[in-house]
Amino acid sequence: MSSLQIGLTLFGAMLVLMALRVPIAIAMFVPGAVGYVALAGWLPLLAHLKGAVYGRVSVYDLSVIPLFMLMGAFAVHGGLSKALFDFANALLGRFKGGMAMAGVLACAAFGSISGSTVATTATIAQVAYPEMRRIHYSGRLATASLAVGGTMGVLLPPSVTLLVYAILTEQNITKMFLAAYVPALLAAIGYVIAIAVTVRWKPEHAPEVQPATGAQVVQATLRVWPILGIFLAVFGGIYGGVFTPTEGAAIGTVLTFVAAVAGGQLRRAGVLEAIRSTASTSGMIFLIFIGADMINAALALSQLPNQLADIVAHAQIPPVAVMAAIMVFYVILGCVMDEMSMILLTVPVIFPVIMGLDFFGLGPTDKALWFGILILTVCAIGMIFPPVGLNVYIMNGLAKNVPMTETYKGVVPFLVTDFLRLALLIAFPGIALWLVHRLT
């Protein structure tokens, strides 16, 4: 077999192992190791492993991941999610479909603290879903809006997926954070519009509601101010150059812990569970890093990424058409794979292809930031796209009385806004880059 054939074979073997439900890290590591041996031999593999594993997990920038995850875990166990939802509902509950809109915006706000899509969906849904059903929201709209709102955790800083992409492609984390805000704002606006159109088209999905009183708005605002303070302290300090993203994550973790304890919601059991879940998830992410490094090293030996880049560069295909095809590929991949694995597996192969093409005259840094936002956007789409959609499954676990088919029907209007936003981001890279250019 040629080196290219070996590269394609080990990539296919990895997909087969994933389909067989083999843990992602092992499904990437084993074919990678076998391919490395086939291409270079046992001794080079052992020499590679001797330094590669330590070199990967000892990177200082990686410490930002468990820190932001611990910050999110303290927020989850400290009851901050209910304060966010109550505040959003006090402002928007006066509109038809307002509680669904509040759920989306609460997900966006909580995603900016937790950085985790799964944590955002599960946490806000536990607060918002019972309330929505209590006042007679349809199961379709209630589950769909919360499943979709949870995807905001992928795009909004400190998204773990965003951090991994920045580390993997050696991009400035602060610039990646800035590039994500305007697309995330567009996503939130699109979701709110989708809810407004849905309840106008089919009024039975949402009840008529009474607006919150002035006293209720004030009370909700007083409860939410610590979260706003944490956000301003952490990200204001990062963007202002006062401290690094890693230092900001550490400060945010301490502030969230203090706010959760002061609020009387965080107990000893919650602290221990937050530490345990952070350690477990961080260990899983680091193992996926190691597995992805192994298969990417084998693919590099096979010259598959370079040959793919050469083929695309000489194919006389418009760069925008190449980007559109890559986005379709990611949406399909997102139906069978989680976003972390997608990023770690595909970016080392596809990133050189993108960097070798000319998109609207963008420089290398702008191109890398823009591509990162596009990938995060399609990762979010993949989390609600049939037939898998991880967030839909999470909602199904929390709302067992609502058929999954109903939730999938409910996400269709949101998917329409997602694809429109994706098309805008591809056609106008400045949407993602405007804030970066203004503040750096």
Side-chain angles (χ1 to χ4, degrees), residues 150-161:
T151 65
M152 301 284 289
V154 169
L155 194 55
L156 274 166
S159 161
V160 175
T161 311

Side-chain angles (χ1 to χ4, degrees), residues 154-169:
V154 169
L155 194 55
L156 274 166
S159 161
V160 175
T161 311
L162 184 151
L163 290 169
V164 169
Y165 174 85
I167 293 168
L168 205 59
T169 58

Side-chain angles (χ1 to χ4, degrees), residues 333-375:
L333 201 62
C335 294
V336 296
M337 190 181 296
D338 67 273
E339 72 273 19
M340 186 69 65
S341 303
M342 287 168 57
I343 295 291
L344 288 168
L345 176 64
T346 62
V347 165
V349 177
I350 294 177
F351 188 72
V353 175
I354 296 299
M355 298 305 289
L357 297 174
D358 178 31
F359 292 96
F360 313 106
L362 294 176
T365 299
D366 283 350
K367 197 186 305 181
L369 295 174
W370 173 58
F371 182 56
I373 297 304
L374 293 179
I375 287 184

